[in-house]
Amino acid sequence: MCRHLAYVGEPVRLADLLLTPPHSLLRQSWAPCDMRGGGTVNADGYGIGWYTGGADPVRLRRAGPMWTDAALPGLASSVVTGAALAAVRSATIGMPVVETACAPFTSGPWLFSHNGLVRGWPSSVAGLAERLPVTDLLLMDAPTDSALLWLLLRARLTAGEEPADAVASVVTEVAAAAPDSRLNLLLTNGSAIVATAWTHALWVRALPGAVVVASEPYDEDPSWHEVPDGHLVTATPSSVDMTRVGEP
Ligand code: GLN
């Protein structure tokens, strides 16, 4: 399954967050440690979204493996940001390997990623999709489970739901419609991170003036804490809260 990471806090170089740590997201693209039976490598594309001084985030997505992008080290060394969300993708069988299927998905201030799969896709969640505006479905980034999860979540955010409530509701309704789904969701607006651990690994680390949430720790620092399965974490540079969503 894909690996993802979100950071909010003191400005950091993207390279120091994503490329240079000993078990960075870059390394996790070819040597992840804890895939729990969901694939072997994360070579089906990658994406990074980052915030620049109050504006909506900038997004870069590519369909190839992260390690093959010769432009990335230079770019990541020159970008300093106070918040970012990045993901490397291992496409679920039957889903297209295209740039637009890569996280982060975005709208306004939001960046979103999904690590996992919707069981019985697409018929299991057709009833949920039916409730969305047809134009949202017509403009869906890619015909994948993750892109639909983003539409379901975005509809709730647009309606004014609190991010943590919206994420919990999407996980609950999709898990009910498609039992045995793997639903690690990751959302940020650049100031807070909301994420779920739903049958996949998830870790959180509070740093001085910052917080990171990631599928796998990027180093061996003892301050990484694992998020228990079935839980939702809400993290800002000053607080980390975990609540139980349900039984995966
Ligand atoms: N099912 C999603 C996709 O194919 C996410 C894959 C994953 O987590 N490995 O894009």
Side-chain angles (χ1 to χ4, degrees):
M1 293 293 135
C2 313
R3 305 284 81 176
H4 55 205
L5 174 153
Y7 172 94
V8 171
E10 292 297 321
V12 64
R13 283 193 326 154
L14 280 182
D16 295 334
L17 191 62
L18 305 176
L19 307 184
T20 59
H23 192 60
S24 63
L25 200 68
L26 173 63
R27 188 180 170 88
Q28 291 171 41
S29 68
W30 52 272
C33 284
D34 189 11
M35 296 283 274
R36 304 193 181 179
T40 309
V41 293
N42 298 290
D44 298 320
Y46 81 92
I48 307 170
W50 66 92
Y51 294 82
T52 54
D56 287 344
V58 176
R59 178 181 60 180
L60 165 75
R61 295 191 289 187
R62 292 289 179 258
M66 192 185 223
W67 70 82
T68 63
D69 190 340
L72 182 58
L75 177 95
S77 297
S78 60
V79 173
V80 175
T81 182
L85 187 154
V88 290
R89 180 170 183 240
S90 169
T92 298
I93 291 170
M95 297 199 186
V97 178
V98 290
E99 186 178 302
T100 50
C102 295
F105 301 94
T106 189
S107 179
W110 302 105
L111 293 171
F112 170 77
S113 170
H114 164 228
N115 164 209
L117 62 88
V118 170
R119 207 63 78 180
W121 166 264
S123 50
S124 57
V125 283
L128 295 176
E130 229 168 53
R131 295 190 216 150
L132 292 166
V134 173
T135 45
D136 282 14
L137 296 167
L138 289 172
L139 295 174
M140 192 161 145
D141 268 18
T144 66
D145 52 0
S146 304
L148 179 72
L149 291 173
W150 170 232
L151 293 191
L152 294 171
L153 179 58
R154 189 183 64 183
R156 289 178 176 278
L157 295 169
T158 307
E161 279 186 35
E162 285 300 317
D165 294 341
V167 169
S169 297
V170 168
V171 168
T172 306
E173 68 184 359
V174 172
D180 198 30
S181 290
R182 311 187 81 169
L183 300 170
N184 279 38
L185 309 190
L186 181 62
L187 176 75
T188 186
N189 58 2
S191 51
I193 299 166
V194 177
T196 51
W198 198 269
T199 79
H200 266 300
L202 190 72
W203 296 75
V204 58
R205 179 183 180 188
L207 298 153
V211 68
V212 197
V213 176
S215 306
E216 297 183 14
Y218 57 60
D219 61 22
E220 294 193 349
D221 194 282
S223 61
W224 287 99
H225 293 286
E226 188 160 19
V227 180
D229 211 18
H231 281 67
L232 177 144
V233 56
T234 306
T236 69
S238 56
S239 68
V240 175
D241 294 313
M242 289 196 208
T243 55
R244 194 164 183 280
V245 180
E247 190 63 45

